[in-house]
Amino acid sequence: MTGRPERPPRWGCLLLERLSWYARLQAWILAKGVERYHGTIEPRRRALLAQARGLVLEVGAGPGTNVGLFPPGVLYVAMEPNVHSHLYLLEAHRRAGVTPRLLGGAGERLPFRSASCDTVVMTLVLCAVRDPAAVLSEARRVLKPGGRLLFLEHVAAPAASRTRLAQAAAAPLWSLLAGGCRPDRDTPSRLAEAGFSRLEVEPFSVPVPIAGPHVTGFAER
């Protein structure tokens, strides 16, 4: 599938993102409202994060679900644009006994020098960013040669399938309620187009309506 420009976020999403109560609600939902879902994918998450090495940058760390799951000896830096998630992130660091290294900012512009990170982590992030191509380009830029982007994402179902049709129908309201998340984003194609030297993608499914199709894997610079 060729790279096709995605429709820009709806004005409703952009306006809601500026409201403090909306940002607080999104932070709470990610921290407390989807615990059962996170439990379902935790084995996959643990296996993925066990591959992290060296300086690890997590883009879109959310409430800190991944904090404490990295191997000993890594230098972990969490980056999260929603400041209302930072309290949950700091609490996750405290519970895990990890020194907080927390940054704000968006994935489209990472505050790191080129070729400075050993590992970049994105879990359930590429579904919601405004410009996935730019985020992946930035991840590739900051990775050292041989460094890896580790990812776990829910993705679009196969074209013309019933689930894909349901995803397309649900996308406008889903995106409005879920902080810009799109259930029909073709993330594997975006990864394939991002210019990494090696890409491994493993599909799997989760028993969740609309957002069941998932992928995990790595992209190597």
Side-chain angles (χ1 to χ4, degrees):
M1 182 174 180
T2 58
R4 182 178 57 191
E6 297 187 10
R7 289 177 294 181
R10 293 175 177 268
W11 283 109
C13 292
L14 296 177
L15 290 173
L16 281 173
E17 287 174 7
R18 296 178 181 274
L19 298 177
S20 176
W21 66 264
Y22 181 75
R24 289 178 185 275
L25 176 62
Q26 295 305 314
W28 181 88
I29 289 173
L30 290 175
K32 306 295 183 182
V34 288
E35 289 181 338
R36 183 176 180 181
Y37 165 74
H38 284 305
T40 301
I41 64 172
E42 184 174 351
R44 297 271 185 175
R45 189 191 297 270
R46 286 183 176 273
L48 178 73
L49 300 181
Q51 304 173 51
R53 298 291 184 271
L55 175 57
V56 179
L57 169 63
E58 182 175 10
V59 179
T65 308
N66 292 334
V67 174
L69 300 183
F70 294 96
V74 303
L75 178 61
Y76 172 67
V77 179
M79 184 173 175
E80 170 55 45
N82 185 348
V83 297
H84 299 291
S85 286
H86 289 190
L87 290 177
Y88 297 109
L89 257 172
L90 291 172
E91 174 60 20
H93 280 81
R94 187 195 65 78
R95 291 197 306 268
V98 178
T99 301
R101 297 179 179 88
L102 176 59
L103 301 174
E108 286 85 353
R109 191 171 182 178
L110 300 178
F112 282 78
R113 297 191 307 274
S114 297
S116 61
C117 298
D118 299 284
T119 309
V120 174
V121 172
M122 297 182 194
T123 61
L124 308 175
V125 169
L126 292 169
C127 57
V129 295
R130 295 181 185 176
D131 189 343
V135 173
L136 289 170
S137 177
E138 277 289 274
R140 183 176 177 275
R141 178 186 67 79
V142 303
L143 281 170
K144 297 176 181 178
R148 289 186 173 185
L149 164 65
L150 306 179
F151 58 85
L152 189 158
E153 303 284 342
H154 70 81
V155 298
S161 66
R162 290 185 178 181
T163 301
R164 182 64 170 268
L165 295 175
Q167 288 176 334
L173 182 59
W174 182 292
S175 184
L176 192 66
L177 297 177
C181 171
R182 293 196 60 91
D184 58 346
R185 182 160 279 173
D186 187 8
T187 296
S189 290
R190 299 293 171 263
L191 287 161
E193 295 159 0
F196 289 96
S197 64
R198 182 182 175 190
L199 174 64
E200 292 195 7
V201 180
E202 179 186 355
F204 69 100
S205 184
V206 172
V208 177
I210 305 297
H214 283 60
V215 295
T216 188
F218 69 85
E220 187 171 285
R221 182 179 177 187

